[in-house]
Amino acid sequence: MTMFGTNQLLVDKHVEFIQNLDKKQDGLEYWMTEHLRVSGIYWGLVALFLLDRPQALDHEQIIAYVRGCQNADGGFGGHTHHDSHLLYTMSSVQILSMLNALDQIDGKKVTKYVLSLQQTNKQTNGQTTVCGDVWGEHDTRFAFIAMAVLSFFNTQDQLDTNGIVEYIRGAMNYDGGFGSKPGGESHAAQVYTCVAALAVAGRLDVVDRDRLSGWLAERQLLCGGMNGRPQKLEDVCYAWWVGSALDILRRRHWISAEKLVEFVVSAQDENGGIADRPGDVADVYHTCFGIAGLSLVRYPGLNEVDPVYCMPRSVVRRLGLHKWQDKVPKSWSQ
């Protein structure tokens, strides 16, 4: 028996659940989520890699499909013939990286696309924003994605990193958390993107570590699950969004790993997959981030996940992206 008692992860069932996702093409849900096809592959692949079942899907088929989602502008759409967006560009790069196929796309084209979405506003103290696509929506998610994607190609120095850091600093609130943009309410998912972006930039000194760690720890509820902001329900995905930020801050021990495992495991479907909370319908998104959250707290049998890139540590190390850890303030300790 482990420190997590009898809380068992249904590994074989989850693998089967992910394998069957693309076989349900006769349902309305399959076609209504077409724009999320690339994201779904990424979520499923991360889960399989962490479960140590990377060969459960056809790698060559995935590589060919993802390459077919790249557009002339260098970005990737959520499905073939869909417009480019940073969200799907990030997922595509992550997928190809996990499958050791990043050399099958032109990194210069991807870099050019990402740089085309960078905007510097001289009226906001030199803050630089990054848009998600050509239509101009910007928030802290895209700031992180821009830095992360370019780090895969070692071209992040072409971004206005200082301006992006100032934009992220402007999104920091009195509670230590971060919003989607300056003035936005603190939210755990945005906290992850901001803290991860600062980790990639080597600027974690911007963070109010104690205040933010306290705010994140307060996201864990009596049931063991976590919410994304005060007065909201628990949700399995925050095992990742909260847990990853605490891991980067070297404060993973500020939450109860045992209670978190109990909650995530209780949200499993007996036929495979993990839901947002017990009793709801399982989906690949919560399956991915539930398993990633368990990996963060060292659930036995799972491969370790990198808290910045949300990929196996072994992949991040192979790519040389683990060096963000060298930039963590020396004064931070477990």
Side-chain angles (χ1 to χ4, degrees), residues 65-247:
Y65 169 74
V66 171
R67 291 184 63 191
C69 292
Q70 187 173 28
N71 296 310
D73 59 10
F76 290 77
H79 186 47
T80 52
H81 309 300
H82 282 222
D83 291 343
S84 297
H85 195 286
L86 269 187
L87 289 171
Y88 310 123
T89 300
M90 175 73 168
S91 293
S92 297
V93 169
Q94 289 171 301
I95 291 168
L96 295 175
S97 295
M98 285 187 283
L99 300 183
N100 202 18
L102 196 58
D103 60 349
Q104 295 192 32
I105 60 172
D106 188 342
K108 292 182 179 179
K109 288 183 64 177
V110 178
T111 296
K112 183 177 180 180
Y113 170 70
V114 174
L115 292 175
S116 73
L117 300 174
Q118 177 179 241
Q119 297 181 344
T120 299
N121 188 341
K122 295 181 179 179
Q123 297 179 339
T124 56
N125 299 319
Q127 293 181 0
T128 295
T129 60
V130 180
C131 300
D133 56 20
V134 296
W135 304 110
E137 177 192 11
H138 66 83
D139 69 36
T140 49
R141 291 176 300 165
F142 309 139
F144 161 62
I145 290 174
M147 287 198 285
V149 168
L150 295 195
S151 69
F152 284 85
F153 304 102
N154 198 28
T155 55
Q156 66 269 32
D157 59 338
Q158 297 182 40
L159 281 170
D160 179 12
T161 301
N162 290 333
I164 292 175
V165 168
E166 288 309 309
Y167 174 66
I168 293 173
R169 189 200 301 270
M172 185 165 62
N173 294 315
Y174 71 93
D175 53 18
F178 294 84
S180 60
K181 59 190 64 175
E185 179 185 5
S186 294
H187 189 283
Q190 305 296 154
V191 168
Y192 158 72
T193 61
C194 291
V195 173
L198 294 172
V200 174
R203 289 301 310 278
L204 284 168
D205 58 286
V206 169
V207 174
D208 185 334
R209 185 190 182 210
D210 287 344
R211 192 181 295 269
L212 177 55
S213 297
W215 186 87
L216 288 167
E218 289 176 349
R219 304 279 61 76
Q220 187 166 39
L221 306 178
L222 292 176
C223 65
M226 299 173 175
N227 59 19
R229 49 198 168 119
Q231 306 303 317
K232 295 296 181 178
L233 292 175
E234 65 280 356
D235 189 312
V236 160
C237 70
Y238 293 112
W240 167 257
W241 303 121
V242 174
S244 57
L246 283 172
D247 196 284

